[in-house]
Amino acid sequence: MAVESLQRELGRAVRAIGADPDTRVGLERARDPEHGDWASNVALTLARPLRRKPREIAEEIVARLDTDAAGVRSVEVAGPGFINFRLAPEALIGGLAEIVDADLAFGRSEDGQGEPVMVEFVSANPTGPLHIGHGRQAALGDAIAELLAWTGWKVSREFYYNDAGEQINRLARSVAARRAQLDSPSAPFPEDGYHGDYVSEIASRFPGGPAASEELRAFAVSELRAEQDRDLSEFRVRFDRYYLESSLYTDGRVQDTIRRLREAGRVYEQGGALWLRTTAFGDDKDRVMVRSNGEPTYFLADVAYHLAKWERGFRRAINVQGSDHHGTTARVRAGLQALGLPRGYPEYVLHQMVTVLRGGQEVKFSKRAGDYVTLRELFTEVGVDVARYFFLMRRAEAQLVFDLDLALDQSDKNPVYKIQYAHARMHAIFRRAGLPMSDVAAGTVALLRQPAEVELVKVLRRLPETLAEAAARHAPHLLCKYLEEAAAAVNAWYHTGNRDESLRVLGVEQDLSRARLLLARAAAIVLRNGLSVLGITAPERMEHAETLT
RNA sequence: GCGCCAGUAGCUCAGCUGGAUAGAGCAACGGCCUUCUAAGCCGUAGGUCAUAGGUUCGAGUCCUAUCUGGCGCGCCA
């Protein structure tokens, strides 16, 4: 690739002027086209160690560059001492064949080298329908997992079921109370019970009698798990494994974790409880592992669970959780460090809350769940593609405002449709031409000289680096931004044909038409691959409301 | 009180390890339809980057303090 040879050549010139051989030679895409294609600030960073003026250093580096070797058309020193490079047009256009040859694999890389990584997400308690916060987490976790898969990691998606705690007892009491009310309506309902209509629904579906409390509890949990599974499945999120908290107790992992922490000498007794000295690893207070009544804490199970991840061979584990859990991250990591695991294990992606807006007003309630909006209600109204995209288009750490009015808009104002339309337009060209896309695998790309064409090629080639950065930073929103930019470039190119027929793909001289078809195919590949990473469909033809009715 | 996240255009938000005049979408304003689908396109306007200091050749980005919003600080999960 031209950029890598440019980087090497630049490094050679930097050493040639007597700079430290370890100097980091920055080379990045110029933000402003005025500054060429690539720019280096190396002369500025060398100014201090060399005690010389940046521009002088830049001039000297440029004088020693062999630009022919790097496919560079021109070099200039600009501003305070930047070195700007313009690539030869052939070097830019040459990337088109790469996209089409790779096709479904375009954008994939091998950074992960097939190493295993676990992404744990959703992990909702089986006590009610999934809400929009879970939706954000489902979309985020799935996209992060897919980004890692695209960058060469062997990814496992896991859901941790907190099926062992007090909240399950609460659920059981709530359903039992509703069941009793079927026989005598004045029967009491627990103060801390779950109030949503779904509790009554489960109670009325329960086939057993009023006294069967164990069966009722199991029934309620399995009903809610089944409902969550249906929601997630329709939201197009699948897991490789569901890990039950209860299994940590039955298979001895919890007891084993206590034993090992004791052996590590990080444990002490106080007030009849067993404590772990997490403050030794940066926590702000020590934590109870076993209560004075002999019951282990949730925290202990959490440590046991993450130890199990490590011992199952996952040297990387990423937990996607709501930011309301941020208090637990320090103590879980501390517990794991006490057992000899590395400091940053696991990695956390903590996302902020979601609010739903309709007509500028916040929507808070749901018919079934009572006090929150469910994921199902949301994706039923706006569609899975739109819901997933809206959950992903903001950084996880920022609060998310889900604008229903924009989500329901089916024009290009809605970023999801904008990208999908751009993709469908490329297919429309091929339909009009009567050609399958796969028939166009080569062309005289040197004929692509129009500004909109060159610009589009430049954008399309950035997919691999965008995926790599989004994966490294656990940040799917970077891919959303990129796809919107790519769609804008596709639309801009496509519409140049509106004003000037000589710029169209079809109806122009054959070699030129062929080259433009190749560009259209490359555009479709980039948009489709990018959307697939986000779990969003790339339709070849868009149907819209007016024509459906 | 302590901790985590955030504060950038009227609104919703980008801004990569500090780098060249701060970007996008929506809303606003002005143009463009016998189209490879105008469900659109082109253009214009709009910002003391919460505030005050500091580090630096250079700060939206790093440090300190303050203000505002969200979340968390249990022998709950």
Side-chain angles (χ1 to χ4, degrees):
Chain A
M1 211 185 217
V3 179
E4 283 145 16
S5 58
L6 176 55
Q7 175 96 50
R8 271 196 307 278
E9 176 58 21
L10 189 57
R12 196 193 56 73
V14 164
R15 288 187 294 277
I17 64 160
D20 183 335
D22 293 331
T23 302
R24 204 173 148 281
V25 181
L27 184 64
E28 54 187 32
R29 282 185 196 280
R31 292 179 191 169
D32 186 338
E34 289 279 302
H35 302 144
D37 297 305
W38 292 85
S40 176
N41 66 348
V42 67
L44 288 117
T45 58
L46 283 174
R48 191 198 299 252
L50 295 182
R51 297 184 190 197
R52 296 177 51 192
K53 291 179 185 165
R55 280 197 71 106
E56 229 173 69
I57 299 170
E59 298 288 356
E60 194 169 338
I61 291 172
V62 168
R64 288 171 191 260
L65 275 175
D66 176 2
T67 51
D68 291 345
V72 170
R73 194 185 71 198
S74 73
V75 186
E76 62 193 40
V77 175
F82 290 97
I83 305 173
N84 294 337
F85 300 92
R86 270 166 234 279
L87 299 185
E90 312 83 66
L92 285 173
I93 295 294
L96 218 47
E98 203 180 307
I99 296 173
V100 171
D101 288 346
D103 198 358
L104 285 164
F106 182 67
R108 287 194 183 271
S109 60
E110 295 303 321
D111 302 346
Q113 302 187 346
E115 291 293 314
V117 57
M118 178 195 290
V119 182
E120 183 209 323
F121 59 112
V122 184
S123 297
N125 295 334
T127 54
L130 298 174
H131 54 67
I132 49 174
H134 295 123
R136 184 178 196 185
Q137 199 174 121
L140 255 180
D142 197 49
I144 289 170
E146 202 56 25
L147 279 167
L148 290 166
W150 273 70
T151 48
W153 295 83
K154 186 168 178 288
V155 180
S156 287
R157 292 166 167 83
E158 190 152 303
F159 187 125
Y160 181 54
Y161 258 119
N162 303 137
D163 62 340
E166 170 57 24
Q167 78 280 8
I168 300 292
N169 298 331
R170 254 169 71 193
L171 173 71
R173 286 196 297 274
S174 306
V175 178
R178 293 298 186 213
R179 176 69 187 77
Q181 287 173 349
L182 292 177
D183 299 325
S184 54
S186 61
F189 190 78
E191 291 255 317
D192 62 349
Y194 294 100
H195 284 273
D197 290 349
Y198 66 91
V199 176
S200 307
E201 291 168 17
I202 292 170
S204 60
R205 282 202 302 271
F206 180 56
S213 68
E214 250 332 287
E215 287 83 356
L216 183 78
R217 174 197 175 92
F219 180 77
V221 169
S222 80
E223 286 286 297
L224 284 169
R225 282 190 58 179
E227 180 176 337
Q228 290 185 354
D229 288 351
R230 279 197 301 277
D231 291 352
L232 288 168
S233 165
E234 281 180 53
F235 198 54
R236 299 199 289 263
V237 173
R238 300 194 190 289
F239 291 89
D240 296 295
R241 181 162 177 185
Y242 292 84
Y243 201 101
L244 301 187
E245 183 191 359
S246 56
S247 75
L248 293 165
Y249 295 97
T250 54
D251 69 8
R253 281 192 181 274
V254 166
Q255 287 306 315
D256 190 52
T257 302
I258 294 175
R259 182 183 57 74
R260 290 162 69 171
L261 285 166
R262 267 189 207 282
E263 283 169 9
R266 301 296 183 182
V267 167
Y268 62 93
E269 283 189 43
Q270 189 178 66
L274 193 64
W275 295 71
L276 179 63
R277 205 180 297 283
T278 53
T279 49
F281 301 97
D283 198 3
D284 52 2
K285 60 181 87 162
D286 290 340
R287 305 291 166 177
V288 171
M289 294 161 47
V290 182
R291 287 179 273 243
S292 49
N293 66 5
E295 292 277 327
T297 58
Y298 177 83
F299 158 67
L300 175 60
D302 218 358
V303 173
Y305 174 46
H306 286 91
L307 179 62
K309 287 185 183 177
W310 178 265
E311 294 185 340
R312 287 159 63 198
F314 293 103
R315 290 297 174 270
R316 277 192 80 191
I318 297 170
N319 288 11
V320 183
Q321 300 179 335
S323 62
D324 52 339
H325 287 83
H326 78 254
T328 66
T329 62
R331 76 186 72 154
V332 169
R333 283 174 165 173
L336 294 170
Q337 282 177 64
L339 293 165
L341 270 61
R343 182 183 273 274
Y345 192 86
E347 300 160 56
Y348 287 95
V349 175
L350 301 177
H351 65 85
Q352 299 270 345
M353 301 296 123
V354 180
T355 50
V356 178
L357 242 51
R358 188 195 300 277
Q361 296 289 314
E362 186 176 351
V363 183
K364 283 187 167 167
F365 304 103
S366 120
K367 290 188 199 82
R368 271 193 80 235
D371 54 355
Y372 59 87
V373 180
T374 67
L375 172 59
R376 175 171 291 274
E377 287 166 321
L378 189 72
F379 72 63
T380 301
E381 182 163 1
V382 305
V384 172
D385 282 341
V386 171
R388 288 185 71 126
Y389 191 90
F390 274 55
F391 281 134
L392 293 170
M393 65 200 241
R394 306 295 181 219
R395 345 191 332 253
E397 312 85 70
Q399 291 170 48
L400 177 70
V401 176
F402 197 114
D403 183 346
L404 272 179
D405 302 314
L406 182 61
L408 287 167
D409 188 308
Q410 296 203 1
S411 76
D412 276 13
K413 287 173 191 165
N414 182 333
V416 189
Y417 286 102
K418 174 177 173 174
I419 298 165
Q420 290 182 327
Y421 281 127
H423 177 263
R425 282 184 182 116
M426 299 301 99
H427 280 271
I429 295 172
F430 279 80
R431 274 198 297 279
R432 162 83 52 140
L435 280 172
M437 265 198 181
S438 54
D439 274 17
V440 179
T444 315
V445 289
L447 296 173
L448 300 175
R449 293 205 201 89
Q450 298 299 327
E453 294 166 348
V454 174
E455 182 54 35
L456 179 55
V457 174
K458 283 188 190 176
V459 172
L460 295 179
R461 293 189 58 185
R462 276 168 34 211
L463 178 67
E465 66 196 55
T466 303
L467 289 174
E469 190 186 351
R473 292 172 56 194
H474 309 150
H477 77 277
L478 297 173
L479 181 55
C480 294
K481 278 275 163 198
Y482 168 76
L483 288 172
E484 288 177 48
E485 201 183 322
V490 167
N491 288 333
W493 170 59
Y494 178 83
H495 287 290
T496 56
N498 267 351
R499 288 187 301 279
D500 182 348
E501 294 194 2
S502 73
L503 298 179
R504 293 185 185 178
V505 175
L506 304 178
V508 296
E509 184 273 323
Q510 194 179 352
D511 282 347
L512 183 58
S513 179
R514 201 77 182 170
R516 287 176 179 165
L517 281 167
L518 193 72
L519 179 55
R521 184 179 172 203
I525 287 170
V526 166
L527 294 174
R528 177 251 279 149
N529 289 6
L531 286 171
S532 86
V533 172
L534 302 177
I536 295 170
T537 62
E540 296 183 2
R541 186 195 292 273
M542 296 296 280
E543 314 266 350
H544 47 95
E546 287 89 323
T547 55
L548 289 174
T549 50

